[in-house]
């Protein structure tokens, strides 16, 4: 009797564990570590354009990325320690959810991320791509190209120096985000036939950032 009860409890616990693991797929591992600020500051630079940084929060961040196109490596800079590119990052609240948005390329072309920290401390990270000319597809069967695409990620980690104490807290947030994106598609032209086709792509990123408070969601 006791053995049967134990097996039933064990089975229920395993089912609950499987459910919890399944429900967390696509979410990010969230860590709060004040020490990440020092690490982030080693990987960003505000000295070249101090005025732009103070006004628009544009600075340079170490570009660590890997891009795959048609299952072939286009470039792999994940171990890069020296090359930096222009980067922007800001955060704000959407109701009670903290939203952090960052991207390489300043205003007119963005390769970056959107991270969210929910009130229950769950978090998620998604790849964000933006280009003024519509050229992105989220799925292969999508009919019309978009200027912006938000793509789910896996193996995502979000490390923050701090969480705002309130919605009025304007303190900068320093951090590191790491992820591998799910596939997305880019509109391309075949050089031989001149016909348009959709090329499968995905990104892997490791990004250090300095995020300031600015609610740009109202500008879209």
């Amino acid at each position: 009797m006791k053995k049967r009860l134990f097996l039933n409890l064990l089975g229920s616990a395993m089912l609950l564990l499987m459910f919890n693991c399944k429900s967390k797929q696509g979410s990010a591992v969230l860590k709060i570590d004040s020490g990440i600020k020092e690490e982030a500051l080693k990987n960003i630079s505000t000295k070249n354009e101090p005025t732009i940084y103070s006004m628009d929060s544009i600075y340079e961040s170490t570009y660590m990325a890997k891009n795959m196109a048609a299952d072939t490596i286009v470039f792999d800079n994940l171990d890069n320690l020296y090359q930096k590119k222009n980067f922007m990052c800001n955060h704000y609240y959407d109701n009670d959810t903290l939203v952090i948005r960052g991207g390489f390329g300043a205003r007119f072309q963005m390769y970056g991320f959107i991270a969210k920290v929910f009130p229950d401390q769950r978090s998620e990270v998604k790849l964000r791509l933006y280009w003024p000319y519509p050229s992105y597809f989220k799925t292969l069967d999508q009919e019309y190209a978009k200027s912006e695409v938000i793509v789910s990620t896996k193996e995502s980690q979000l490390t923050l120096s701090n969480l705002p104490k309130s919605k009025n807290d304007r303190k900068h947030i320093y951090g590191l985000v790491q992820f591998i994106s799910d596939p997305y598609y880019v509109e391309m032209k075949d050089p031989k036939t001149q016909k348009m086709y959709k090329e499968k792509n995905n990104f892997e990123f490791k990004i250090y950032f300095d995020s300031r408070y600015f609610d740009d969601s109202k500008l879209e």
Side-chain angles (χ1 to χ4, degrees):
M1 181 71 176
K2 291 183 177 179
K3 183 177 181 181
R4 183 181 300 172
L5 179 60
F6 173 76
L7 291 174
N8 287 338
L9 290 172
L10 181 62
S12 298
M14 291 180 67
L15 287 173
L16 182 60
L17 179 61
M18 290 171 64
F19 174 79
N20 287 337
C21 290
K22 186 175 181 180
S23 66
K24 292 180 181 179
Q25 286 181 356
S27 63
V29 175
L30 174 64
K31 298 179 182 178
I32 307 301
D33 178 6
S34 60
I36 198 67
K37 176 179 178 179
E38 182 178 355
E39 194 173 336
L41 288 173
K42 292 178 181 177
N43 284 275
I44 66 175
S45 175
T46 62
K47 295 180 180 179
N48 292 340
E49 298 288 348
T51 303
I52 293 179
Y53 171 71
S54 62
M55 294 182 63
D56 295 331
S57 196
I58 299 174
Y59 52 90
E60 292 185 330
S61 181
T62 306
Y63 189 70
M64 291 176 278
K66 178 180 179 180
N67 180 224
M68 299 279 290
D71 298 317
T72 300
I73 297 176
V74 178
F75 61 83
D76 185 353
N77 295 333
L78 285 175
D79 295 325
N80 168 51
L81 298 176
Y82 306 105
Q83 182 187 13
K84 290 181 170 61
K85 290 190 175 184
N86 281 352
F87 189 79
M88 292 182 68
C89 192
N90 65 286
H91 62 272
Y92 58 91
Y93 272 93
D94 181 7
N95 294 321
D96 293 323
T97 297
L98 175 65
V99 181
I100 305 174
R101 310 202 313 175
F104 290 97
R107 295 182 178 86
F108 305 109
Q109 181 179 9
M110 297 288 277
Y111 296 84
F113 69 92
I114 297 179
K116 294 183 178 181
V117 180
F118 301 100
D120 61 1
Q121 300 294 294
R122 289 182 302 110
S123 64
E124 70 174 24
V125 173
K126 293 186 177 182
L127 170 70
R128 181 194 181 208
L129 301 170
Y130 173 78
W131 176 249
Y133 178 78
S135 56
Y136 295 120
F137 301 87
K138 193 170 182 178
T139 61
L140 188 59
D141 58 358
Q142 183 178 320
E143 187 173 359
Y144 298 106
K146 302 290 185 180
S147 295
E148 181 182 40
V149 65
I150 308 297
V151 184
S152 298
T153 65
K154 54 189 176 183
E155 299 182 27
S156 308
Q157 296 183 46
L158 178 63
T159 305
L160 303 178
S161 60
N162 58 282
L163 288 174
K165 294 180 180 180
S166 70
K167 293 181 181 180
N168 296 319
D169 188 348
R170 297 298 186 260
K171 186 177 181 180
H172 283 220
I173 299 175
Y174 297 86
L176 168 65
V177 62
Q178 303 175 78
F179 61 86
I180 301 173
S181 81
D182 288 338
Y184 63 93
Y185 299 86
V186 180
E187 189 172 55
M188 304 290 287
K189 179 183 288 187
D190 189 304
K192 295 182 180 179
T193 65
Q194 297 299 302
K195 291 184 177 181
M196 306 303 292
Y197 70 96
K198 299 172 184 175
E199 181 183 71
K200 178 183 175 183
N201 276 250
N202 83 292
F203 258 114
E204 182 173 353
F205 267 118
K206 180 179 180 181
I207 305 172
Y208 288 96
F209 59 86
D210 168 5
S211 176
R212 69 164 181 165
Y213 180 87
F214 177 60
D215 188 354
D216 59 354
S217 64
K218 298 180 177 62
L219 303 178
E220 297 179 345

